[in-house]
Amino acid sequence: MGHLYITAMVVVIQIFMAKELFNLLRKAHEDRHLPGFRLLNWHFFFTAMFFVYGRLLSQPLVNTVTSDKFLYQFVSSLVKYHMAICYFLYIAGFMWFILTLKKKMYKYQFGQYAWTHMILIVVFTQSSFTVANIFEGIFWL
Protein backbone atom coordinates (compact mmCIF):
# COMPACT_ATOMS: atom_id res chain seq x y z
CA MET A 1 0.00 0.00 0.00
CA GLY A 2 2.98 2.30 0.24
CA HIS A 3 5.16 4.10 2.75
CA LEU A 4 2.44 6.23 4.32
CA TYR A 5 0.08 3.36 5.13
CA ILE A 6 2.80 1.18 6.60
CA THR A 7 4.00 4.09 8.73
CA ALA A 8 0.41 4.67 9.90
CA MET A 9 0.19 0.99 10.85
CA VAL A 10 3.41 1.30 12.88
CA VAL A 11 2.02 4.37 14.67
CA VAL A 12 -1.24 2.58 15.53
CA ILE A 13 0.69 -0.42 16.85
CA GLN A 14 2.88 1.96 18.82
CA ILE A 15 -0.14 3.62 20.45
CA PHE A 16 -1.59 0.25 21.47
CA MET A 17 1.78 -0.87 22.84
CA ALA A 18 2.07 2.25 24.96
CA LYS A 19 -1.54 1.95 26.14
CA GLU A 20 -0.96 -1.63 27.24
CA LEU A 21 2.30 -0.80 29.02
CA PHE A 22 0.78 2.25 30.75
CA ASN A 23 -2.10 0.09 31.98
CA LEU A 24 0.30 -2.54 33.36
CA LEU A 25 1.74 0.02 35.77
CA ARG A 26 -1.54 1.54 36.81
CA LYS A 27 -2.73 1.17 40.37
CA ALA A 28 -6.37 2.22 40.58
CA HIS A 29 -6.21 3.10 44.29
CA GLU A 30 -3.37 5.57 43.83
CA ASP A 31 -4.72 6.94 40.54
CA ARG A 32 -7.98 7.95 42.22
CA HIS A 33 -6.03 10.48 44.28
CA LEU A 34 -4.23 11.88 41.20
CA PRO A 35 -6.72 13.23 38.67
CA GLY A 36 -5.18 13.85 35.26
CA PHE A 37 -2.04 11.84 35.97
CA ARG A 38 -2.77 9.36 33.15
CA LEU A 39 -3.12 12.31 30.79
CA LEU A 40 0.44 13.29 31.68
CA ASN A 41 1.68 9.91 30.37
CA TRP A 42 0.00 10.57 27.04
CA HIS A 43 1.42 14.10 26.94
CA PHE A 44 4.93 12.67 27.16
CA PHE A 45 4.02 9.99 24.61
CA PHE A 46 2.84 12.47 21.99
CA THR A 47 5.76 14.80 22.73
CA ALA A 48 8.13 11.89 22.08
CA MET A 49 6.16 11.00 18.95
CA PHE A 50 6.48 14.57 17.66
CA PHE A 51 10.21 14.52 18.41
CA VAL A 52 10.97 11.18 16.75
CA TYR A 53 8.74 11.49 13.71
CA GLY A 54 9.52 15.17 13.28
CA ARG A 55 13.19 14.30 12.86
CA LEU A 56 12.55 11.29 10.62
CA LEU A 57 9.89 12.80 8.39
CA SER A 58 10.95 16.45 8.18
CA GLN A 59 12.51 16.33 4.72
CA PRO A 60 9.92 14.01 3.09
CA LEU A 61 7.15 16.18 4.54
CA VAL A 62 8.62 19.43 3.21
CA ASN A 63 9.10 17.84 -0.21
CA THR A 64 5.48 16.64 -0.24
CA VAL A 65 3.82 20.01 0.46
CA THR A 66 5.83 22.23 -1.89
CA SER A 67 2.82 22.95 -4.13
CA ASP A 68 0.77 24.87 -1.52
CA LYS A 69 2.60 28.04 -0.41
CA PHE A 70 0.84 28.47 2.98
CA LEU A 71 1.24 24.81 3.90
CA TYR A 72 4.86 24.88 2.76
CA GLN A 73 5.62 27.90 4.99
CA PHE A 74 3.81 26.28 7.94
CA VAL A 75 5.65 22.97 7.61
CA SER A 76 8.96 24.75 7.03
CA SER A 77 8.44 26.70 10.26
CA LEU A 78 7.64 23.51 12.15
CA VAL A 79 10.79 21.88 10.81
CA LYS A 80 12.89 24.94 11.55
CA TYR A 81 11.73 25.24 15.16
CA HIS A 82 11.20 21.52 15.76
CA MET A 83 13.76 21.17 18.56
CA ALA A 84 12.53 24.29 20.36
CA ILE A 85 8.91 23.10 20.17
CA CYS A 86 9.90 19.68 21.52
CA TYR A 87 11.88 21.27 24.32
CA PHE A 88 9.00 23.48 25.40
CA LEU A 89 6.52 20.60 25.20
CA TYR A 90 8.75 18.48 27.43
CA ILE A 91 9.31 21.33 29.90
CA ALA A 92 5.53 21.93 30.00
CA GLY A 93 5.03 18.24 30.84
CA PHE A 94 7.73 18.36 33.49
CA MET A 95 6.17 21.45 35.07
CA TRP A 96 2.78 19.73 34.97
CA PHE A 97 4.34 16.77 36.79
CA ILE A 98 5.93 19.03 39.43
CA LEU A 99 2.69 20.93 39.99
CA THR A 100 0.69 17.71 40.49
CA LEU A 101 2.98 16.23 43.16
CA LYS A 102 1.04 15.33 46.31
CA LYS A 103 2.33 14.48 49.74
CA LYS A 104 2.40 10.76 50.60
CA MET A 105 2.24 9.98 46.87
CA TYR A 106 5.80 10.97 45.91
CA LYS A 107 7.11 7.40 45.62
CA TYR A 108 4.25 6.34 43.35
CA GLN A 109 4.41 9.49 41.24
CA PHE A 110 8.17 9.40 40.70
CA GLY A 111 7.95 5.68 39.94
CA GLN A 112 5.28 6.35 37.33
CA TYR A 113 7.35 9.20 35.89
CA ALA A 114 10.40 6.95 35.55
CA TRP A 115 8.41 4.07 34.07
CA THR A 116 6.75 6.41 31.59
CA HIS A 117 10.16 7.39 30.27
CA MET A 118 11.34 3.77 30.15
CA ILE A 119 8.21 2.81 28.19
CA LEU A 120 8.83 5.65 25.76
CA ILE A 121 12.42 4.53 25.22
CA VAL A 122 11.35 0.94 24.53
CA VAL A 123 8.46 1.84 22.23
CA PHE A 124 10.13 4.62 20.26
CA THR A 125 13.52 2.98 19.82
CA GLN A 126 11.97 0.03 18.03
CA SER A 127 9.48 1.97 15.98
CA SER A 128 11.86 4.73 14.91
CA PHE A 129 14.18 2.16 13.37
CA THR A 130 11.22 0.50 11.68
CA VAL A 131 9.96 3.77 10.20
CA ALA A 132 13.46 4.73 9.09
CA ASN A 133 13.72 1.40 7.27
CA ILE A 134 10.33 1.96 5.65
CA PHE A 135 11.49 5.25 4.15
CA GLU A 136 14.96 4.04 3.24
CA GLY A 137 13.70 1.00 1.39
CA ILE A 138 10.36 -0.69 1.88
CA PHE A 139 11.78 -4.05 0.78
CA TRP A 140 13.89 -4.19 3.98
CA LEU A 141 10.70 -4.32 5.99
Side-chain angles (χ1 to χ4, degrees), residues 45-56 82-83 86-87:
F45 176 81
F46 286 111
T47 299
M49 183 178 279
F50 181 68
F51 175 74
V52 170
Y53 292 129
R55 290 180 62 97
L56 285 175
H82 176 257
M83 290 300 284
C86 291
Y87 174 76

Side-chain angles (χ1 to χ4, degrees), residues 69-79:
K69 185 175 179 167
F70 172 74
L71 195 56
Y72 177 74
Q73 288 176 340
F74 177 71
V75 171
S76 294
S77 297
L78 276 180
V79 169

